[in-house]
Amino acid sequence: MTATVVSLVNQKGGVGKTTTAVSLAVALGRKGQRVLLVDLDPQANATSALGVDGKDVAGTYDAILDGMPMADCVVAVEAECISVVPSSAELSGAEVELVPVMARERRLTAALDQVRDSYDWILIDCPPSLGLLTINALTASDAVIIPVQCEYMALEGLSRLMETLDLVKRNLNPRLHVLGVILTMFDARTRLAQQVVDEVRGHFPQTFATIIPRSVRLSEAPSHGKSIFLYDQGGRSATAYDAVASELLERAGVAA
């Protein structure tokens, strides 16, 4: 069985996208799924959050721009039960370097096709933009998950994202669909947070039932090069992401 490829995407920064990509990947890995996390963000936050130094190894840049076999760019993170294709600052020039390349929107698709049979899930952490790297991710994906923070103007920019998804679906990838919306950074002390939850669920019925709480421990974990499951196992955030992973497997018809 080939992997289900899912992009985590939101062009609005600071919504918990990378935290969700890492935490969901590790949660799936801990449930016995074979998971590959592809860091497509030049900021390389997903890479460093797993304790990997992208400067020392081959990564997404080498696979997409130089045609290096994707299998040679995979780093196993055994403590987290997943593997990662690291990013580095080198990837920041990819948007420009891809412009003259033939079939530039499908470079990541071709790279991932080499390893799809080796995993159950391939999660892609996209950059906070709708440029060529994100278009590559959407073209390579079966589905997208959209993290949305429970704060003011949470839906800002989502209409543009949905337009981009529709364009990619019509012109490059007809199988692309929204798998779900994950609500992040929920602060139960504010009335606004609950209003945002209700508003998002009103617009997106496929929103996951589990809500990710705002958490200091969740913010601290990446600076220690650990997922929330190693940094604060049994905490509220780890429990929430574990529940989201269970929801995801249920939606995909997979027995955990």
Side-chain angles (χ1 to χ4, degrees):
M1 182 177 137
T2 60
T4 300
V5 181
V6 180
S7 281
L8 285 98
V9 60
N10 191 330
Q11 80 273 24
K12 193 171 186 289
V15 300
K17 175 181 57 59
T18 296
T19 298
T20 296
V22 172
S23 303
L24 185 56
V26 174
L28 289 168
R30 289 165 58 89
K31 292 179 181 297
Q33 299 291 295
R34 299 172 301 161
V35 182
L36 177 65
L37 176 62
V38 178
D39 190 351
L40 202 62
D41 189 342
Q43 297 177 77
N45 290 331
T47 300
S48 60
L50 291 167
V52 176
D53 188 344
K55 297 192 295 288
D56 296 338
V57 291
T60 45
Y61 179 91
D62 304 276
I64 296 174
L65 272 302
D66 293 341
M68 182 179 289
M70 183 61 96
D72 294 343
C73 302
V74 173
V75 177
V77 188
E78 294 179 5
E80 303 283 12
C81 306
I82 67 170
S83 295
V84 62
V85 180
S87 177
S88 65
E90 199 176 22
L91 194 61
S92 59
E95 295 275 358
V96 175
E97 293 176 58
L98 279 169
V99 170
V101 174
M102 185 73 71
R104 60 192 180 190
E105 300 91 352
R106 301 187 183 276
R107 299 289 289 192
L108 184 59
T109 304
L112 291 180
D113 281 348
Q114 304 166 20
V115 297
R116 282 188 73 148
D117 290 342
S118 301
Y119 300 96
D120 300 308
W121 296 89
I122 297 176
L123 303 187
I124 306 172
D125 183 33
C126 296
S129 70
L130 296 177
L132 264 176
L133 287 174
T134 298
I135 297 300
N136 260 268
L138 298 177
T139 304
S141 295
D142 301 300
V144 299
I145 288 176
I146 307 170
V148 175
Q149 85 277 33
C150 299
E151 294 180 356
Y152 181 61
M153 297 180 79
L155 293 174
E156 181 191 20
L158 279 185
S159 59
R160 186 174 167 221
L161 173 58
M162 298 310 291
E163 288 171 6
T164 300
L165 294 178
D166 186 54
L167 278 170
V168 172
K169 184 169 184 173
R170 281 191 281 121
N171 296 296
L172 295 166
N173 181 7
R175 72 182 183 281
L176 187 68
H177 65 282
V178 177
L179 188 54
V181 173
I182 297 179
L183 291 158
T184 65
M185 303 181 185
F186 179 77
D187 188 344
R189 298 169 300 179
T190 68
R191 185 181 303 170
L192 173 64
Q194 188 57 54
Q195 290 173 345
V196 170
V197 169
D198 296 339
E199 188 176 4
V200 171
R201 285 183 171 157
H203 282 83
F204 299 97
Q206 64 271 63
T207 301
F208 285 88
T210 305
I211 299 174
I212 309 302
R214 181 177 288 281
S215 162
V216 173
R217 303 289 281 175
L218 191 59
S219 301
E220 291 173 345
S223 66
H224 294 270
K226 295 179 179 179
S227 74
I228 191 63
F229 292 96
L230 284 185
Y231 187 67
D232 189 30
Q233 187 173 0
R236 290 186 311 144
S237 298
T239 301
Y241 275 114
D242 182 75
V244 171
S246 294
E247 278 191 70
L248 179 58
L249 291 174
E250 186 178 339
R251 291 186 184 197
V254 179

